Amino acid sequence: MNKKIKWIQSIHFKIPMLFIFMLLVSLQIIGAYFIRQLETKLINNFDTQMSLNLRFLENSLQPVLIDGDEELKESSIQNILQDYIGGDFLEIRVVDDRGYILGTNDQTRQSMIGLKSTDRDVQQAMLLQTDRKYQYLNDDRNSRVWKTVSPIFTTDNTGELIGAIVMESNIETVYSQIMDIVTIFLNASVFAIVITVLLAVIISRGLTRPISEMRTQTANIARGDYSGKVMIYGNDELGQLADTINDLSSKVKEAQETTEAERQRLDSVLKHMSDGVLATDRRGRVIIINNRALDLLDLTQEEAIGKSIMNVLHLGNTFTFRQLLEIQKELILYPTGEETDENILQGEFSVIQRETGFISGLICVLTDITEQEKIEQERRSFVSNVSHELRTPLTSVKSYTESLQEGAWKDQEIAPAFLQVITTETDRMIRMITDLLHLSRMDQGMPQLELEFVSMNDLFGHILDRFEVMFSSEQYRDRNYKIIRDFTQRTLWVEVDQDKMIQVIDNIMNNALKYSPDGGTITCRLMETHNSIVLSVTDEGLGIPRKDLQHIFERFYRVDKARARSMGGTGLGLAISKEVLTMHGGRIWASSIENKGSTFFISLPYEEFEEEEEEWG
């Protein structure tokens, strides 16, 4: 149904208004730019002219300020300034190096000569020994003034400051020129607008007639009537459009079938937009790929569009495109095609098929399952490690128990040794299970830190005192261990859970003792940086290979499994230490040189603790 168009909505009105609006915007932009550039240019020219006069005056004043007699200096300067009376020069003042006014060309202000200048610009220019230029509005003269202050230096190599020139010039003439030019520009703009309106009306009349006929024909096509033809008035764009509309009516039916297939393809893409999505044509060339798929495959649009999906997904060596169409299961894919790739994708394929059974393409939905695979791998590794770590002591307990059951308990020499082994292995299993429960609570966020301000100097020293006392025991008496302390002299107060920090430091010290040779030295340091404190423990043991350094804080990881197990370790101590420090906002790391020793570092956030000042009577 044709609706009558109001005049204000008609193209007869819109085209002239569009032209006028575009012209006004253009004139505004051009005018603003032109006037701004004109103002800048004229002011720069004025500044250049004033600078030339200033330099000429400076050359005239230099001999007088350097060699002139003090009594004749003021008169000589006044004679020079007489040549600068009138024109754009409002006032020129000459100041000596001490700030006293030596002369001015303003006859009404001769009383200022001999007085110390209070002009802040003069003081600043002489202090910084640089020119000062700026524009300001003089209320007394009711005009804009260009002020220049320039220091004067000697002409010899010393470049000594001998005075300064203050020049104030009338810049109002520059703005008068600008206003005259703006007036001319506005008159020309009004004339251009009138001409534009006339041309726009003529153009709009020439456009509306063929457009009206094309609108009628397209309305017929929308109703399903493809018999009409649009009259072609010329070979311009409107004539080509009319010819296209005529051709359109004969192809709409075929286009409807293609549109239906495209709609199904787009629906499938929209349905899976949260994952990576690829769509192909019937030959397997990628025609649609979303941003998520590009990110997962580390590709760009240019690298994917038009390329075979077999190459994009690196499946050419495994499947053919026909086999890919028949696959009804999910595939594990790798972005680079190598199974060593850290990222793992899951691909789900579905066929785009018309009602006639014709296959027009393929949809592939990609899901990033890297994290799930990593978690599953860690779970399998964890179960394997726990099983292995528990099986070894259980095997020992079972073997020794069976020996006791078979009569070894009667032997008063063997039985106690067997029972000691059983007790040791049982204690190790209990420690392992306790550590596992502790880690489990940390993973679940159950442990709460009982924070208090603690002097790390005292805490660290107390722990080392315990170990030194332990060295005097019968177990360590013959090993001659030595602890060297290197502490900062400042007392470092840190808010920590004291019990958990003792557990961490004890664990590191115990490791240092386990792997240090007899007579070894353990160096313990405490230092501070601008926002953290750092504790370090250095031993002289076997060291840790570089390939193992990045894994030593993983659960159950041991560099030398046989030796660590024989020393009673569970493989969880460093993992627990890392979790505790993470809860405190700190971190733990290590450096090592094989056969020379290792150093473990602990870093904790630190803010200087300010105690309340005591009042002394």
Side-chain angles (χ1 to χ4, degrees):
M1 180 178 180
N2 293 332
K3 297 181 179 179
K4 187 176 182 180
I5 301 176
K6 297 181 179 179
W7 180 79
I8 197 172
Q9 298 175 333
S10 171
I11 198 170
H12 287 290
F13 174 80
K14 290 182 178 180
I15 289 180
M17 289 300 102
L18 177 62
F19 277 35
I20 294 171
F21 175 77
M22 293 175 61
L23 181 61
L24 288 174
V25 171
S26 300
L27 290 175
Q28 287 288 333
I29 296 173
I30 295 172
Y33 177 81
F34 174 76
I35 293 170
R36 181 61 181 170
Q37 292 297 315
L38 176 65
E39 179 183 2
T40 302
K41 185 67 176 178
L42 291 177
I43 291 176
N44 289 340
N45 290 341
F46 184 86
D47 177 45
T48 302
Q49 182 181 354
M50 292 299 105
S51 296
L52 290 174
N53 291 326
L54 187 67
R55 297 282 83 82
F56 183 81
L57 177 59
E58 180 180 331
N59 293 333
S60 301
L61 290 172
Q62 279 176 337
V64 177
L65 293 174
I66 295 173
D67 302 323
D69 183 74
E70 292 294 329
E71 297 179 356
L72 299 177
K73 184 179 294 186
E74 291 183 4
S75 60
S76 299
I77 291 174
Q78 283 299 117
N79 291 334
I80 293 173
L81 294 180
Q82 292 299 318
D83 297 333
Y84 293 89
I85 297 176
D88 291 330
F89 303 108
L90 298 176
E91 181 183 4
I92 301 176
R93 294 193 304 276
V94 180
V95 182
D96 65 10
D97 58 342
R98 295 173 302 169
Y100 288 92
I101 300 175
L102 300 178
T104 176
N105 69 339
D106 190 342
Q107 299 303 318
T108 64
R109 307 183 72 177
Q110 295 299 313
S111 60
M112 296 173 57
I113 298 175
L115 299 178
K116 190 173 182 63
S117 175
T118 60
D119 192 334
R120 294 175 61 88
D121 295 323
V122 173
Q123 297 171 2
Q124 188 172 3
M126 295 179 70
L127 178 63
L128 300 178
Q129 297 187 2
T130 57
D131 293 350
R132 281 186 55 79
K133 299 178 182 180
Y134 65 94
Q135 182 183 153
Y136 73 96
L137 180 63
N138 190 308
D139 295 330
D140 296 333
R141 297 185 175 94
N142 194 25
S143 63
R144 281 167 281 211
V145 175
W146 183 262
K147 184 175 182 179
T148 305
V149 181
S150 176
I152 305 175
F153 303 92
T154 58
T155 56
D156 56 19
N157 294 333
T158 62
E160 182 181 356
L161 179 70
I162 57 176
I165 302 174
V166 181
M167 178 181 288
E168 294 187 351
S169 309
N170 184 9
I171 199 173
E172 198 65 39
T173 55
V174 172
Y175 288 94
S176 298
Q177 296 177 23
I178 293 174
M179 289 304 299
D180 293 339
I181 295 173
V182 169
T183 302
I184 296 173
F185 180 82
L186 290 176
N187 293 334
S189 299
V190 172
F191 179 77
I193 290 173
V194 173
I195 297 299
T196 300
V197 171
L198 294 176
L199 291 175
V201 171
I202 296 173
I203 293 172
S204 65
R205 289 181 177 177
L207 292 175
T208 52
R209 183 175 179 182
I211 290 176
S212 179
E213 293 183 5
M214 285 186 280
R215 175 179 175 275
T216 301
Q217 179 59 21
T218 53
N220 293 335
I221 294 175
R223 292 193 299 267
D225 181 10
Y226 311 112
S227 59
K229 296 291 183 181
V230 179
M231 184 175 293
I232 299 175
Y233 291 92
N235 294 324
D236 56 7
E237 288 79 3
L238 287 176
Q240 294 177 3
L241 179 59
D243 184 62
T244 302
I245 291 175
N246 292 334
D247 186 54
L248 176 66
S249 61
S250 62
K251 295 182 177 179
V252 169
K253 186 176 182 180
E254 180 182 351
Q256 287 178 339
E257 295 179 0
T258 304
T259 301
E260 182 62 21
E262 292 293 331
R263 186 189 64 78
Q264 293 179 3
R265 182 181 291 115
L266 291 177
D267 286 345
S268 298
V269 172
L270 293 175
K271 182 178 179 182
H272 301 95
M273 282 301 292
S274 59
D275 293 323
V277 178
L278 298 88
T280 73
D281 59 15
R282 60 189 181 90
R283 293 183 177 86
R285 292 190 295 261
V286 177
I287 57 175
I288 296 176
I289 183 169
N290 66 353
N291 292 333
R292 179 60 177 160
L294 292 173
D295 294 338
L296 292 174
L297 297 171
D298 193 21
L299 297 173
T300 62
Q301 285 279 351
E302 293 74 15
E303 292 172 337
I305 297 298
K307 304 299 189 299
S308 171
I309 191 173
M310 310 302 296
N311 296 331
V312 171
L313 299 181
H314 303 283
L315 295 173
N317 297 329
T318 310
F319 300 97
T320 65
F321 183 63
R322 181 175 295 278
Q323 291 173 332
L324 204 61
L325 294 174
E326 298 172 354
I327 287 178
Q328 300 296 323
K329 63 180 180 178
E330 298 169 346
L331 294 180
I332 299 300
L333 307 172
Y334 300 91
T336 62
E338 301 291 337
E339 293 189 6
T340 56
D341 197 319
E342 294 182 356
N343 296 324
I344 304 174
L345 306 178
Q346 177 178 282
E348 181 180 353
F349 299 87
S350 60
V351 175
I352 303 174
Q353 196 170 13
R354 298 181 185 176
E355 294 180 357
T356 59
F358 179 78
I359 296 176
S360 57
L362 182 69
I363 291 289
C364 175
V365 180
L366 299 175
T367 305
D368 188 352
I369 59 172
T370 305
E371 194 63 28
Q372 296 92 310
E373 287 293 314
K374 181 179 179 181
I375 293 173
E376 180 62 21
Q377 179 61 34
E378 290 179 351
R379 185 192 64 80
R380 290 193 294 265
S381 176
F382 179 76
V383 171
S384 175
N385 285 328
V386 171
S387 302
H388 179 75
E389 295 297 334
L390 289 176
R391 181 175 59 191
T392 301
L394 283 173
T395 300
S396 298
V397 170
K398 184 175 183 296
S399 298
Y400 283 98
T401 302
E402 289 176 348
S403 297
L404 291 172
Q405 288 175 338
E406 291 172 357
W409 63 272
K410 298 178 181 179
D411 190 326
Q412 294 183 359
E413 294 182 0
I414 296 177
F418 281 15
L419 291 173
Q420 180 61 40
V421 171
I422 293 173
T423 301
T424 300
E425 294 298 331
T426 304
D427 289 341
R428 187 151 71 93
M429 285 190 290
I430 291 173
R431 288 198 304 273
M432 184 185 306
I433 293 172
T434 301
D435 288 343
L436 285 172
L437 290 174
H438 191 57
L439 281 171
S440 176
R441 293 191 188 99
M442 287 183 177
D443 291 339
Q444 297 173 14
M446 294 172 61
Q448 298 296 324
L449 296 178
E450 297 181 3
L451 299 176
E452 56 182 319
F453 276 102
V454 175
S455 169
M456 289 305 298
N457 309 63
D458 295 340
L459 179 63
F460 201 8
H462 171 70
I463 296 172
L464 298 182
D465 290 342
R466 285 198 291 103
F467 277 91
E468 286 182 336
V469 171
M470 185 175 65
F471 292 165
S472 62
S473 65
E474 184 177 351
Q475 180 182 358
Y476 293 95
R477 187 172 299 163
D478 298 332
R479 299 190 180 183
N480 298 318
Y481 289 132
K482 180 181 179 182
I483 294 179
I484 296 178
R485 309 186 191 201
D486 183 9
F487 288 10
T488 178
Q489 296 300 315
R490 292 188 57 190
T491 301
L492 304 177
W493 292 88
V494 185
E495 193 175 18
V496 297
D497 187 318
Q498 182 170 319
D499 292 337
K500 288 185 170 56
M501 287 307 303
I502 291 175
Q503 179 186 5
V504 171
I505 299 174
D506 275 350
N507 180 58
I508 295 176
M509 287 296 299
N510 282 321
N511 285 343
L513 289 178
K514 287 178 185 178
Y515 299 105
S516 289
D518 291 348
T521 298
I522 300 174
T523 304
C524 301
R525 294 184 175 87
L526 175 63
M527 64 199 81
E528 64 175 313
T529 65
H530 66 285
N531 60 358
S532 63
I533 68 168
V534 179
L535 293 79
S536 67
V537 176
T538 303
D539 61 50
E540 297 177 344
L542 297 176
I544 303 171
R546 182 177 298 179
K547 64 182 180 62
D548 296 309
L549 267 179
Q550 60 182 334
H551 301 292
I552 59 176
F553 297 101
E554 297 176 4
R555 301 173 186 185
F556 293 111
Y557 189 85
R558 291 192 181 96
V559 178
D560 186 345
K561 293 182 172 59
R563 182 177 181 186
R565 190 174 292 113
S566 67
M567 292 183 175
T570 65
L572 298 173
L574 290 178
I576 292 175
S577 299
K578 180 180 178 182
E579 294 293 337
V580 169
L581 287 167
T582 300
M583 292 170 64
H584 281 84
R587 65 190 187 99
I588 182 172
W589 71 99
S591 64
S592 182
I593 300 176
E594 285 192 77
N595 301 318
K596 290 188 177 181
S598 305
T599 300
F600 281 81
F601 299 90
I602 294 174
S603 173
L604 289 169
Y606 170 64
E607 293 182 5
E608 187 171 352
F609 178 72
E610 298 180 0
E611 298 183 0
E612 296 183 358
E613 297 182 357
E614 297 181 358
E615 295 184 359
W616 296 84

